[in-house]
Amino acid sequence: MTSPLTSVALFHLGPVPITTGVVVAWVIMAVLVIGSILVTRHLSLIPSASQAVFELIVDTVDGQIRDTMRVEPGPYRSFIGTLFVFIFVSNWSSLVPGVEPPTAHLETDAALALIVFVAVIWFGIRAGGVRGYLATFAFPNPVMIPLNFIESLTRTFSLLVRLFGNVMSGVFVIGIVLSLAGLLVPIPLMALDLLTGAVQAYIFAVLAMVFIAGTVSEGQPAPDTSKQRTPP
């Protein structure tokens, strides 16, 4: 069995190697994009069964954003929802025979962690401007600037390690058991692996919300109290 840290290139786009995980990720993204277009083409005030299911998913995402970030979900719904759905579908793509989840590959998880890192910066700047975002590194006092900067890097790395370790280990263990015990024995492990995949998608999305909320709240400008009048 090959090392889980290595990926075999299927082909190259110039100097860039394209691995199996990248191809599967592209396929999943295409399926999600096409599916979302088909689902939203015929929306109605009286929802069908499928529309009701998707509305329930959106409402659940909105509720989680409100509970976690303490903000209105509108500006964050698309990013958090897309992040969760992609990771969830990627983790469960192991149900397709012969398909290894792209989240079991280091390059996919690194890309997802990098996207969250950039999103934290983007939402932080949008909430408080460049000055307000940079001021978050000095919270609660300027002595914390080096530590806060290191924290922004290490928490991104922790996202990568957590998702990669949990998904890869599940695939790796099932592969070993399957090679030793036959087809039926790994079924309970596969069910547990699917549950783990759903939980990891949820945790990844929640952590992204926590990181964004921390930057947005710390970057908000302080209320101007200079014009407040003292009551007589």
Side-chain angles (χ1 to χ4, degrees):
M1 181 175 293
T2 59
S3 170
L5 297 177
T6 60
S7 298
V8 179
L10 296 179
F11 58 93
H12 288 74
L13 287 179
V16 180
I18 305 300
T19 64
T20 305
V22 173
V23 173
V24 176
W26 285 349
V27 172
I28 291 175
M29 287 188 289
V31 169
L32 292 178
V33 169
I34 295 173
S36 63
I37 292 174
L38 295 177
V39 168
T40 55
R41 284 179 63 184
H42 303 289
L43 298 179
S44 62
L45 294 177
I46 303 177
S48 62
S50 59
Q51 181 178 334
V53 171
F54 287 105
E55 288 181 357
L56 177 61
I57 295 174
V58 173
D59 288 340
T60 302
V61 172
D62 284 356
Q64 188 64 59
I65 292 175
R66 289 190 183 96
D67 293 341
T68 305
M69 301 181 66
R70 305 296 181 183
V71 295
E72 282 303 308
Y76 312 97
R77 179 190 301 119
S78 298
F79 175 72
I80 298 299
T82 302
L83 192 67
F84 170 77
V85 171
F86 174 78
I87 297 175
F88 180 87
V89 174
S90 296
N91 291 346
W92 279 43
S93 63
S94 59
L95 290 172
V96 180
V99 173
E100 187 176 355
T103 43
H105 293 267
L106 196 61
E107 62 270 19
T108 304
D109 300 330
L112 291 169
L114 181 60
I115 289 173
V116 173
F117 178 78
V118 174
V120 170
I121 298 175
W122 163 255
F123 286 115
I125 292 176
R126 193 170 72 168
V130 176
R131 185 175 181 178
Y133 169 72
L134 294 178
T136 62
F137 290 99
F139 181 85
N141 57 70
V143 178
M144 298 297 294
I145 290 178
L147 292 178
N148 287 335
F149 180 75
I150 294 173
E151 181 194 14
S152 68
L153 299 177
T154 55
R155 69 188 183 187
T156 303
F157 183 72
S158 71
L159 284 176
L160 158 66
V161 172
R162 179 181 292 105
L163 183 60
F164 173 72
N166 283 280
V167 178
M168 179 273 298
S169 61
V171 173
F172 205 56
V173 169
I174 290 175
I176 294 175
V177 175
L178 186 63
S179 63
L180 296 177
L183 295 176
L184 297 180
V185 175
I187 291 179
L189 290 177
M190 293 176 65
L192 179 61
D193 185 50
L194 293 178
L195 177 61
T196 301
V199 171
Q200 288 304 314
Y202 172 77
I203 292 175
F204 196 99
V206 168
L207 288 176
M209 284 186 274
V210 171
F211 297 159
I212 293 172
T215 302
V216 169
S217 61
E218 292 172 9
Q220 291 286 357
D224 185 7
T225 58
S226 60
K227 297 181 181 180
Q228 294 182 358
R229 299 179 61 184
T230 302

